[in-house]
Amino acid sequence: RAAKIKAMKQQVGKTTAPKRRVSKPRRPSQPIVYTAPKTFNAHRLMLQLVTITAVVLAAVIGLSVFFKVEIIEVSGASVYDVWTVREASGIEKGTSLLTLGKAEACGRITEALPYVKIVRIGVTLPNTVNIYIEELDVVYAAQDSKDGWWLLTSEGRVVEKTSASHAQKQTLLKGFRLEAPVVGETAKAQEISPDAT
C-alpha cells in the first residue's frame, strides 16, 4: 500500500503545467496624417452651377419643343359631342404639355357645359390629352314663373331650358315655380296656390 501511495505522488509530481499562450506582436498603428482642407474655389462652384442650370434648361426646352398637344381624346360624353368638349376646355393643338393647365381646363368645361358633373384630364406622352367626362342624370322638369320649362338634376341643379313637350318626358315637379332659374346653379322655388294655373 505504501508503494502505491509513493507511485501516486511521483505521478502527481510529473503532471505538466498548462501551456502559456504566446501573444503575437501587435502591428504598430498607422500614423494619422493631417491634410489641410481644400481652399474654397468660387470659380469652380460657379462652373458647377452654370453646368447644372444648362442641363435643366436643356431638358425643359427639349420637353416644351417635343411634347406638344397633337391629339385630344374625349370619353364619357353623351349629351355633348367631342368638338363641344374640346372647345370648352380651351386646350389647343400645339400647346406644350408642360404648360398645360389641367385645373383651369376642367373649370372651363364645368362652367360652359352644365350637364358635366366630373371632369378628369390626363396626359399620355408624347402628344395626347385625355378628357374624361361624367355627366349628370336629368330626372326632373319644372316650370318657372313665366311658364317656361327647365330641366333639373336630383340635386336640384338647373341644367337647361327646354320645351314643354320635352319636359313631359321627365318627372314633373308641381306645386311650385322656379324663381329666376340660372343654368348651372341650384334652383330656387317659390310656392304657388293649388288653384293657380
Side-chain angles (χ1 to χ4, degrees):
R1 191 172 178 179
K4 283 184 180 180
I5 293 171
K6 190 176 180 183
M8 285 176 70
K9 284 181 179 179
Q10 287 176 354
Q11 276 189 344
V12 170
K14 287 180 181 179
T15 56
T16 57
K19 291 182 179 179
R20 295 175 111 190
R21 290 184 181 178
V22 179
S23 60
K24 293 181 180 179
R26 292 184 180 179
R27 291 182 180 178
S29 59
Q30 293 181 351
I32 298 172
V33 179
Y34 175 78
T35 56
K38 293 181 179 179
T39 57
F40 177 74
N41 191 336
H43 178 70
R44 186 173 182 178
L45 177 64
M46 284 298 296
L47 186 62
Q48 290 175 344
L49 289 175
V50 169
T51 304
I52 292 170
T53 305
V55 170
V56 171
L57 282 175
V60 170
I61 292 170
L63 288 173
S64 62
V65 168
F66 294 109
F67 296 108
K68 292 188 175 182
V69 177
E70 295 295 330
I71 302 168
I72 303 172
E73 294 182 350
V74 178
S75 60
S78 58
V79 176
Y80 304 108
D81 58 27
V82 173
W83 185 86
T84 303
V85 175
R86 285 179 183 172
E87 286 297 307
S89 72
I91 300 172
E92 298 178 358
K93 289 186 177 183
T95 304
S96 172
L97 291 175
L98 287 178
T99 59
L100 182 67
K102 296 180 187 177
E104 292 83 357
C106 290
R108 286 193 292 267
I109 291 171
T110 52
E111 186 178 350
L113 309 177
Y115 275 92
V116 174
K117 181 180 181 182
I118 296 172
V119 185
R120 286 193 292 269
I121 296 178
V123 172
T124 304
L125 295 176
N127 59 3
T128 304
V129 173
N130 304 297
I131 303 175
Y132 172 76
I133 299 289
E134 187 177 327
E135 294 175 339
L136 294 164
D137 295 322
V138 176
V139 291
Y140 300 113
Q143 274 186 303
D144 62 14
S145 56
K146 298 178 182 178
D147 295 331
W149 285 95
W150 297 80
L151 299 180
L152 295 91
T153 66
S154 57
E155 290 85 16
R157 181 180 174 184
V158 180
V159 289
E160 74 173 302
K161 190 172 184 177
T162 188
S163 63
S165 60
H166 189 259
Q168 300 303 318
K169 298 176 184 177
Q170 309 293 332
T171 302
L172 301 179
L173 300 177
K174 296 184 178 181
F176 67 92
R177 294 292 177 98
L178 299 179
E179 182 182 343
V182 178
V183 172
E185 295 185 5
T186 303
K188 296 178 183 177
Q190 62 182 94
E191 292 184 20
I192 57 171
S193 57
D195 55 351
T197 56

